[in-house]
């Protein structure tokens, strides 16, 4: 009887540790564009740095019209309810990123050749998603897109 209580506590601690490890795994999985919908659901409520989830949409979902993205510029858009940013660094070459800042999860704004976070001043390169200025240290999550018939679609 006396041993039952410590074992129970140990079991609970072990379960708690596994939950923490599991959450860490989900956070890491959410850093990949191909993260599962479960990982995305968990990451979307997280405010830890570098955990922004890439929106997941069926391949072929239109994100924007190519003509609406200035060559050498960028725009904001949505995939479903998820905010994204797109840039066209060269004519016909379009890139797309989650607009969720990898610092603490604010929504970055399209600003020509940069994506700027209004919360703490992070800046990201619109062509690559890489951090130009912190406090963020992790690039924006890339979303695979292709150009098809004048539209930018998820791939
Ligand atoms: Fe973007 Fe802090 S949330 S810089």
């Amino acid at each position: 009887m006396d041993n039952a209580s410590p074992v129970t506590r140990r079991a609970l601690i072990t379960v708690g540790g596994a939950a923490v490890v599991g959450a860490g795994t989900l956070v890491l999985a959410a850093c990949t564009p191909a993260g599962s919908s479960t990982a995305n659901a968990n990451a979307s409520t997280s405010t830890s740095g570098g955990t922004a989830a890439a929106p997941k949409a069926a391949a072929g979902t239109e994100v924007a019209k190519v003509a609406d993205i200035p060559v050498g510029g960028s725009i904001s858009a949505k995939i479903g309810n998820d905010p994204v940013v797109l840039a066209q660094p060269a004519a016909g070459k379009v890139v797309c990123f989650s607009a969720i800042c990898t610092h603490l999860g604010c929504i970055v704004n399209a600003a020509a050749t940069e994506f700027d976070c209004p919360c703490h001043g992070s800046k990201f390169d619109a062509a690559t998603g890489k951090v130009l200025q912190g406090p963020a240290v992790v690039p924006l999550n890339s979303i695979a897109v292709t150009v098809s018939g004048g539209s930018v679609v998820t791939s």
Side-chain angles (χ1 to χ4, degrees), residues 41-97:
N42 284 315
S44 67
T45 58
S46 171
T47 56
S48 349
T51 60
K56 187 163 181 70
T61 301
E62 183 179 70
V63 183
K65 299 285 187 194
V66 176
D68 292 338
I69 310 168
V71 175
S74 58
I75 63 168
S76 296
K78 287 197 170 190
I79 297 177
N81 290 323
D82 297 317
V84 299
V85 283
L86 300 104
Q88 189 172 190
K93 179 184 183 228
V94 176
V95 291
C96 180
F97 302 93

Side-chain angles (χ1 to χ4, degrees), residues 4-155:
S5 185
V7 169
T8 301
R9 272 191 224 116
R10 182 175 297 133
L12 288 174
I13 291 168
T14 301
V15 169
V20 169
V21 170
T25 302
L26 287 174
V27 167
L28 290 174
C31 291
T32 62
S36 72
S37 59
T38 301
N40 287 343
N42 284 315
S44 67
T45 58
S46 171
T47 56
S48 349
T51 60
K56 187 163 181 70
T61 301
E62 183 179 70
V63 183
K65 299 285 187 194
V66 176
D68 292 338
I69 310 168
V71 175
S74 58
I75 63 168
S76 296
K78 287 197 170 190
I79 297 177
N81 290 323
D82 297 317
V84 299
V85 283
L86 300 104
Q88 189 172 190
K93 179 184 183 228
V94 176
V95 291
C96 180
F97 302 93
S98 167
I100 299 173
C101 181
T102 57
H103 178 228
L104 290 177
C106 290
I107 306 303
V108 301
N109 297 315
T113 58
E114 296 177 356
F115 301 125
D116 297 344
C117 184
C119 290
H120 310 105
S122 289
K123 296 179 182 297
F124 301 87
D125 186 310
T128 64
K130 290 183 179 173
V131 175
L132 297 173
Q133 174 181 305
V137 294
V138 176
L140 294 176
N141 286 302
S142 179
I143 299 168
V145 293
T146 56
V147 173
S148 175
S151 292
V152 180
V153 297
T154 54
S155 54

